[in-house]
Amino acid sequence: MNGQFTIPKFKLPDFIASLGQKLPQWPHALALVAGLNAAHKMKLLPEAELDLLEGKLFRVRINDTGGEASYTYRDGMFRPVFRPDREPDLAFAANLSAYLQLLARQEDPDTLFFNRELEITGDTELGLIVKNMLDAVEWPSLPKLPQLSR
Amino acid sequence: MSSLPDLICPAGSLPALKAAVDNGADAVYLGFKNDTNARNFAGLNFDQKTMADGIRYAHAKGREILLAINTFPQAGRVGDWHKAVDAAVDQGVDAIILADVGLLDYARNRHPQQRLHLSVQGSATSYEAINFCQREFGIRRAVLPRVLTLAQVEHVIKNTTVEIEVFGFGSLCVMNEGRCWLSSYACGESPNTVGACSPAKYVKWDKKPGAMETRLNGILIDRFGDNEPAGYPTLCKGRFEVEGETYYALEEPTSLNVISILPEILKIGVRAIKVEGRQRSPAYVTQVTRTLRAALDSLANGSEGFHVKPAWQAELSKVSEGSQATLGAYSRPWR
Ligand code: SF4
């Protein structure tokens, strides 16, 4: 990945969200779960914290694409949940750009939260566990943050 | 070359530690994964292995690791805190940051060679208190609570040979370091008892149409409009009704930011500048460390011509709680 690349803050036009809501939600869920399981397989996720996720229902909503994905962690695997029959234990909602900035470690979730670009509802302690767990992961090749001119 | 103060940066995880080192921290401070430190949050902090990796990484680049054991031993469990001190020495940290006098005494007697710092939680605001800790426990550095004006900090420095460390950036506690029990009022737990203020299990964010409500153990402490910046869910930063008016009666959600007074801080002989935020992510550590590094380096050849670059302030205000910055007590006209 190019070290100089910065993900800008953007919001997709509203009509995309209304389109997104009409599309089947399972591709998002599958992609997300596949990513998490891959990280798990590479032993990137700490076992002790993973145990705390057992049986919890998570929902990730992308506001400006209208996409959402629900998943759970059970018996050592992340699994998509296509038709959740209850409110999630933990729910995230943000625009696509905020998620991309988080993934690239370009922005800190607290920053996005303070600025109201990331919404976290449900079990706050679970949210903290997930956040801290992802922060502690040493991704094999971390995309570099752009340099601030001195 | 004039001697710049050390830049001390926080890390709650190995990636954050590496980010601090890579972006120019002189020292990184950490905590164990338990209630012997004041950022005892699920999933945060270091176990034996990650700490060993972290120490190796920092030492290879000539930087220091400071370990915070900055809570107060709880009745019947003093042994846990002693064990933490022993473990820190075994791990080979450069200094241990302690708050409790009993622990300082233990560390001093058990490990006389170990460098000790007095934590901000130790609440020493006068040179008498600091000199006492030097005489009794051999502390080499004291972290000053964020309650002193710059003139008061200078007065302390003039009257002690202990190195003085001050806070330079980060979220503010209500300036009652080491003594605040507000969180216990709502949750029965406070930083000094369980190592966390307003523990997450008591926090609930409720999305309502047009607003978000923050509750602490069921008590409504704030309500944010959709475009209003949010802060940490601590009692001191709630909005309360006082005599018919609802406002931030105790403290506004803001961050301390001393960049504009760095030359003065250097002039009075501060030895180290600390950044708050072990609970934050590697991205925050990167942004704050590189910004303060750049600002400090620009002072290496004297403070003439020092000017605060807009890019620094923009970077720091973005990551600030409540997106506001303050000079805190450093610039208070009253004392
Ligand atoms: S309530 Fe506020 S002042 Fe008290 S410990 Fe918590 S953050 Fe600090």
Side-chain angles (χ1 to χ4, degrees):
Chain A
M1 218 173 279
N2 182 342
Q4 298 307 311
F5 181 69
T6 323
I7 298 159
K9 179 179 160 184
F10 60 82
K11 181 180 180 297
L12 297 171
D14 289 343
F15 74 86
I16 295 191
S18 51
L19 262 180
Q21 275 151 16
K22 298 197 182 73
L23 297 172
Q25 299 301 331
W26 55 267
H28 315 295
L30 286 182
L32 186 67
V33 163
L36 284 167
N37 281 327
H40 188 19
K41 258 226 183 91
M42 293 162 77
K43 300 250 176 285
L44 291 175
L45 307 178
E47 294 293 333
E49 274 88 35
L50 275 175
D51 287 348
L52 301 171
L53 309 187
E54 184 71 29
K56 303 284 188 198
L57 184 62
F58 302 90
R59 185 180 66 210
V60 176
R61 181 173 281 159
I62 305 178
N63 293 334
D64 54 352
T65 70
E68 74 173 47
S70 293
Y71 65 96
T72 185
Y73 178 76
R74 203 164 3 92
D75 304 329
M77 283 262 283
F78 289 95
R79 301 158 197 273
V81 177
F82 298 117
R83 259 180 236 95
D85 52 6
R86 61 182 178 101
E87 277 297 295
D89 295 292
L90 182 66
F92 297 95
N95 286 338
L96 184 61
S97 71
Y99 286 117
L100 294 177
Q101 290 174 333
L102 275 181
L103 283 176
R105 289 215 170 132
Q106 186 181 310
E107 294 298 349
D108 162 295
D110 293 18
T111 300
L112 295 173
F113 178 80
F114 293 151
N115 299 331
R116 306 299 299 280
E117 286 164 44
L118 171 68
E119 202 181 279
I120 307 165
T121 44
D123 180 341
T124 312
E125 187 166 43
L126 190 59
L128 210 56
I129 294 171
V130 170
K131 177 199 115 143
N132 289 335
M133 193 171 98
L134 294 178
D135 277 352
V137 171
E138 294 217 77
W139 302 114
S141 78
L142 196 64
K144 280 250 164 40
L145 284 164
Q147 279 299 308
L148 183 76
S149 56
R150 290 201 173 170
Chain B
M1 168 138 175
S2 75
S3 65
L4 290 173
D6 281 358
L7 178 59
I8 318 285
C9 295
S13 66
L14 198 49
L17 181 154
K18 292 182 177 175
V21 168
D22 294 348
N23 287 282
D26 297 296
V28 189
Y29 68 104
L30 336 162
F32 283 125
K33 261 185 194 296
N34 59 36
D35 59 358
T36 62
N37 80 93
R39 290 282 187 280
N40 179 29
F41 301 147
L44 200 70
N45 294 321
F46 289 76
D47 57 24
Q48 212 178 337
K49 169 159 190 322
T50 47
M51 192 171 294
D53 289 350
I55 292 173
R56 212 173 305 121
Y57 190 85
H59 285 176
K61 303 202 171 184
R63 319 300 169 78
E64 295 187 329
I65 295 292
L66 317 179
L67 185 89
I69 302 180
N70 54 356
T71 52
F72 294 84
Q74 295 300 296
R77 291 185 43 220
V78 180
D80 291 352
W81 274 260
H82 288 173
K83 253 188 251 153
V85 170
D86 299 341
V89 176
D90 285 348
Q91 293 257 0
V93 299
D94 296 282
I96 309 178
I97 309 169
L98 294 168
D100 180 71
V101 284
L103 282 183
L104 280 160
D105 189 53
Y106 174 85
R108 174 64 167 170
N109 288 315
R110 180 61 71 93
H111 309 286
Q113 300 306 321
Q114 179 65 49
R115 191 170 112 204
L116 303 178
H117 292 181
L118 182 66
S119 163
V120 64
Q121 300 292 115
S123 231
T125 49
S126 66
Y127 65 80
E128 289 93 340
I130 291 165
N131 289 341
F132 170 82
C133 290
Q134 181 185 38
R135 192 173 69 231
E136 296 301 318
F137 315 121
I139 59 158
R140 301 263 289 277
R141 184 183 294 173
V143 187
L144 290 188
R146 289 158 276 194
V147 297
L148 301 180
T149 63
L150 218 47
Q152 289 170 322
V153 174
E154 184 176 17
H155 185 62
V156 170
I157 292 174
K158 282 200 170 127
N159 289 284
T160 184
T161 54
V162 175
E163 297 176 355
I164 295 300
E165 178 172 322
V166 301
F167 275 86
F169 186 80
S171 280
L172 282 173
C173 242
V174 88
M175 320 208 161
N176 208 358
E177 328 270 350
R179 296 171 186 155
C180 177
W181 296 83
L182 270 176
S183 172
S184 285
Y185 176 78
C187 330
E189 297 181 6
S190 272
N192 299 323
T193 61
V194 302
C197 178
S198 316
K201 61 172 179 272
Y202 299 110
V203 176
K204 189 108 190 132
W205 282 303
D206 263 338
K207 180 79 184 150
K208 296 272 155 73
M212 186 179 66
E213 293 185 350
T214 317
R215 283 177 192 275
L216 195 57
N217 207 12
I219 303 170
L220 180 65
I221 61 167
D222 210 347
R223 186 182 283 129
F224 302 98
D226 276 344
N227 295 311
E228 249 185 312
Y232 282 121
T234 58
L235 210 52
C236 64
K237 286 163 188 160
R239 272 182 277 203
F240 304 100
E241 197 186 309
V242 183
E243 294 179 344
E245 233 187 296
T246 305
Y247 65 110
Y248 291 108
L250 298 167
E251 177 78 289
E252 306 236 349
T254 61
S255 288
L256 175 72
N257 177 359
V258 301
I259 265 197
S260 63
I261 55 165
L262 272 183
E264 285 89 335
I265 289 183
L266 262 66
K267 202 174 93 209
I268 63 174
V270 165
R271 220 18 238 121
I273 294 180
K274 176 170 224 154
V275 173
E276 183 272 351
R278 282 192 289 128
Q279 74 283 13
R280 304 283 298 256
S281 295
Y284 164 92
V285 175
T286 300
Q287 292 162 336
V288 177
T289 306
R290 71 182 174 196
T291 305
L292 285 174
R293 182 78 268 158
L296 278 172
D297 285 351
S298 80
L299 283 160
N301 300 312
S303 60
E304 272 111 82
F306 173 78
H307 70 278
V308 177
K309 287 197 185 161
W312 299 341
Q313 293 298 45
E315 183 99 331
L316 293 182
S317 79
K318 186 182 64 185
V319 302
S320 292
E321 188 180 3
S323 308
Q324 294 181 50
T326 160
L327 284 170
Y330 294 127
S331 71
R332 288 257 155 91
W334 49 265
R335 294 182 190 175

